Amino acid sequence: MDLPRSFTIRESSHRIHNPLTSEKMATLGQALRLSPGASILDLACGTGELLSTWARDHHVRGTGVDISTVFIDKARARAEELGVADRVGFVHGDASGYVADRPVDVAACIGATWIGGGTAGTVELLRQSLAPGGMMLIGEVYWRHEPPDQTTIENCHATSRDDFLPLPELIEQFGGLGCDVVEMVLADQDSWDRYVAAQWLNIRRWLDANPDDELYNQMRAELTTGPARHVRYQREYLGWGLFALMNR
């Protein structure tokens, strides 16, 4: 049970595994006005940057769950580095079925709503761990602009236009799921660049160090085509946001 090795190669230097910068993550933490001692469950937590930095800055506590052994090891090391290992813990496991032992103040899934089969299923999964009056954090992709053709759709990691919603319709979907949107932080094109371009350097350094690896040709092809695909399609048409929700 683990992530494909290509994913951990691609994001080997990343502390945040989505197009949210550390500054934007900090902005959201401040905006939520978290109480010291508040509890957080972060499903598909990656390398645990949200949990560890918010534990440092806001004195919260929490648990992160991720399927990647590489990322969980890095998350534990990051918690030690920031001096918060006594307040946050990390579990290697399948986040798609994980429910907290006791209700939490914040239940999060940031950019991995496939664990619930989509936005609606992820909201229902997070609700199972949420204390009354608590918040859910959902990170989700949306269309910045209407994609003009199927080529654009496929180059934005989708199979059809319906795979993502425009931002107003995504907000309305949260309402239809019985949630109030109480905060949001949106990626911009620069933060998308920081996320995606860092992957290119990670891949190039890995290629230079691993010319005989079985994944070499796959990763070489990705680096050859990836930058142009990003600026032609993804940068223009894909948005991403982190939304704070409360049950109505």
Side-chain angles (χ1 to χ4, degrees):
M1 183 172 60
D2 215 324
L3 281 178
R5 194 159 59 96
S6 58
F7 192 96
T8 55
I9 292 169
R10 189 180 299 118
E11 302 205 1
S12 58
S13 72
H14 288 54
R15 286 182 173 167
I16 301 173
H17 300 276
N18 55 66
L20 201 68
T21 62
S22 57
E23 293 81 8
K24 288 178 180 288
M25 182 178 287
T27 293
L28 182 64
Q30 294 164 5
L32 296 182
R33 302 190 294 275
L34 299 167
S35 299
S39 56
I40 301 177
L41 174 66
D42 189 359
L43 299 183
C45 67
T47 48
E49 189 72 0
L50 180 145
L51 275 177
S52 290
T53 56
W54 286 11
R56 176 197 63 192
D57 297 340
H58 305 290
H59 305 286
V60 299
R61 54 190 174 85
T63 300
V65 183
D66 202 274
I67 200 170
S68 170
T69 53
V70 172
F71 288 169
I72 286 293
D73 287 346
K74 288 186 175 183
R76 290 169 178 155
R78 181 64 167 157
E80 291 283 354
E81 177 188 353
L82 296 183
V84 296
D86 60 331
R87 297 200 294 276
V88 297
F90 297 95
V91 176
H92 174 240
D94 183 359
S96 63
Y98 193 94
V99 177
D101 293 336
R102 61 184 64 183
V104 298
D105 300 305
V106 178
C109 177
I110 301 171
T113 53
W114 60 82
I115 69 170
T119 303
T122 301
V123 166
E124 289 306 313
L125 175 62
L126 295 178
R127 277 182 169 141
Q128 296 179 54
S129 297
L130 196 65
M135 289 185 187
M136 292 174 278
L137 302 181
I138 295 277
E140 192 59 287
V141 176
Y142 59 86
W143 292 119
R144 290 183 69 242
H145 304 294
E146 183 75 10
D149 51 40
Q150 187 63 24
T151 298
T152 301
I153 290 168
E154 292 176 359
N155 278 285
C156 289
H157 309 293
T159 56
S160 77
R161 183 178 280 99
D162 294 338
D163 287 353
F164 310 136
L165 295 172
L167 180 58
E169 292 179 22
L170 178 59
I171 297 294
E172 291 169 351
Q173 182 186 31
F174 292 138
L177 296 171
C179 299
D180 287 324
V181 178
V182 296
E183 258 295 355
M184 70 178 188
V185 176
L186 304 182
D188 55 24
Q189 288 180 305
D190 180 65
S191 49
W192 265 113
D193 293 345
R194 301 282 30 87
Y195 172 55
V196 177
Q199 297 176 358
W200 308 335
L201 182 56
N202 291 339
I203 293 171
R204 176 53 196 262
R205 287 180 169 164
W206 182 88
L207 290 170
D208 290 345
N210 297 275
D212 299 320
D213 193 280
E214 63 182 1
L215 289 181
Y216 183 91
N217 290 339
Q218 174 187 331
M219 304 309 294
R220 176 67 262 177
E222 181 174 328
L223 180 57
T224 299
T225 61
R229 181 184 301 113
H230 171 64
V231 298
R232 180 171 288 121
Y233 299 109
Q234 298 158 10
R235 192 177 194 273
E236 294 301 315
Y237 291 96
L238 281 185
W240 191 93
L242 179 50
F243 306 90
L245 315 175
M246 297 181 71
N247 288 319
R248 289 178 177 168

